Amino acid sequence: MTQESGAIQEIQDKPLQIGDITLHSRLIVGTGKYKSFEETEQALAASGTEMVTVALRRVDFDAGDNLLNHIDTKKYIILPNTAGCYNADDAIRVSRLGREIGNSNLVKLEVLGDPDTLLPNPMETLKALKVLVKDGFTVMTYTNDDPVMAKVLEEEGSTVVMPAGAPIGSGQGILNPNNIRIILERAKVPIIVDAGVGTASDVTRAFELGCEAVLLNTGIAGAKDAVHMAIAMKHAAIAGRQAFLSGRIPKKLYANASSPALDF
């Protein structure tokens, strides 16, 4: 904690390190589902993010104007992702395309197993991860909230493991905090909650559990007012991280009076 001109400042936090990338904002924001490119630009700026995800399969490179024209690469690190891929081969191909476009080895690996739930396919995810690691990629892997699978992905070389808080776009928040807690206890790589965030309290909850960052898209883009929701998410991330660093009180079954038991 620092003190300046008598005012108490936030706890100084170390930056988040992902491979050779250093981030000060711990909110990673998606670029899909916005009403317009203008709204995308405004929401990203309002969120304070330094890293944005781009689903390469959904970028119309033949269009006169596409999403990439509205992302300032001087302000944001682009995280290409393999959203929309349902097998390892497609995910590997899209990852390699992303490397050519962005001149970066960074990729968010997402291999889905079911179009209705958008839950990941563990076997295809693992297959793709092994190939991408050998290819020199810095892989941030989307997975379910299974502690066993999360550890396997880490051991196979995933730089970051990204368990879902809830199904993609569902807005249900963190459905199984106990599993997230177990994943965090065992992990030696950054754990970032990805998917299912619906509102600011969901973001705060993820940080209070100890997650290094939160990735979200629909929670902002799908809000009635995306830009102001982005502001809310920004402050929720700060509040949750500061609460985690501060150390919350333990939960107790019975009351514990805050006033002294005896008068003076």
Side-chain angles (χ1 to χ4, degrees), residues 19 55 82 93 129 183 209 215:
T82 63
R93 179 177 56 80
L129 172 64
I183 291 171
L209 287 170
L215 190 154

Side-chain angles (χ1 to χ4, degrees), residues 8-84:
I8 297 175
Q9 306 297 311
E10 294 176 0
I11 297 174
Q12 295 302 302
D13 196 4
K14 62 181 181 180
L16 172 60
Q17 199 70 32
I18 299 176
D20 59 359
I21 294 171
T22 300
L23 298 175
H24 296 88
S25 169
R26 291 175 178 266
L27 201 63
I28 303 172
V29 180
T31 54
K33 303 181 181 179
Y34 291 93
K35 300 178 185 69
S36 66
F37 289 142
E38 181 182 13
E39 185 181 65
T40 304
E41 293 177 9
Q42 293 174 350
L44 294 181
S47 74
T49 188
E50 296 172 318
M51 178 179 284
V52 300
T53 63
V54 174
L56 294 177
R57 288 173 63 97
R58 295 169 184 152
V59 175
D60 185 359
F61 292 101
D62 294 326
D65 190 20
N66 64 57
L67 174 63
L68 294 177
N69 295 331
H70 296 270
I71 299 176
D72 186 349
T73 55
K74 293 180 181 179
K75 293 174 57 179
Y76 308 113
I77 296 166
I78 293 180
L79 171 59
N81 72 54
T82 63

Side-chain angles (χ1 to χ4, degrees), residues 18-21 77-80 94-109 132-140 159:
I18 299 176
D20 59 359
I21 294 171
I77 296 166
I78 293 180
L79 171 59
V94 171
S95 297
R96 289 170 175 165
L97 173 63
R99 178 159 60 183
E100 292 176 7
I101 293 173
N103 194 29
S104 169
N105 288 326
L106 186 67
V107 67
K108 178 196 165 189
L109 175 61
L132 294 175
V133 169
K134 288 182 180 179
D135 278 0
F137 280 89
T138 298
V139 187
M140 301 170 65
T159 303

Side-chain angles (χ1 to χ4, degrees), residues 118-220:
L118 299 182
L119 292 174
N121 182 320
M123 294 175 289
E124 291 295 299
T125 298
L126 188 57
K127 179 181 175 182
L129 172 64
K130 291 178 178 180
V131 173
L132 294 175
V133 169
K134 288 182 180 179
D135 278 0
F137 280 89
T138 298
V139 187
M140 301 170 65
T141 311
Y142 168 68
T143 183
N144 54 30
D145 60 6
D146 176 11
V148 175
M149 186 62 188
K151 195 62 181 176
V152 169
L153 293 172
E154 176 185 326
E155 291 171 348
E156 290 296 336
S158 187
T159 303
V160 172
V161 176
M162 310 178 77
I168 293 172
S170 69
Q172 297 183 70
I174 298 177
L175 294 179
N176 199 337
N178 289 335
N179 274 20
I180 300 296
R181 188 176 290 112
I182 293 170
I183 291 171
L184 287 163
E185 287 177 355
R186 297 177 176 179
K188 295 180 181 179
V189 298
I191 301 299
I192 297 177
V193 160
D194 174 19
V197 170
T199 191
S201 58
D202 299 332
V203 171
T204 300
R205 180 63 172 140
F207 281 105
E208 288 175 344
L209 287 170
C211 294
E212 293 282 355
V214 171
L215 190 154
L216 74 162
N217 186 177
T218 309
I220 293 177

Side-chain angles (χ1 to χ4, degrees), residues 109-123:
L109 175 61
E110 180 179 312
V111 186
L112 303 178
D114 177 66
D116 295 322
T117 65
L118 299 182
L119 292 174
N121 182 320
M123 294 175 289

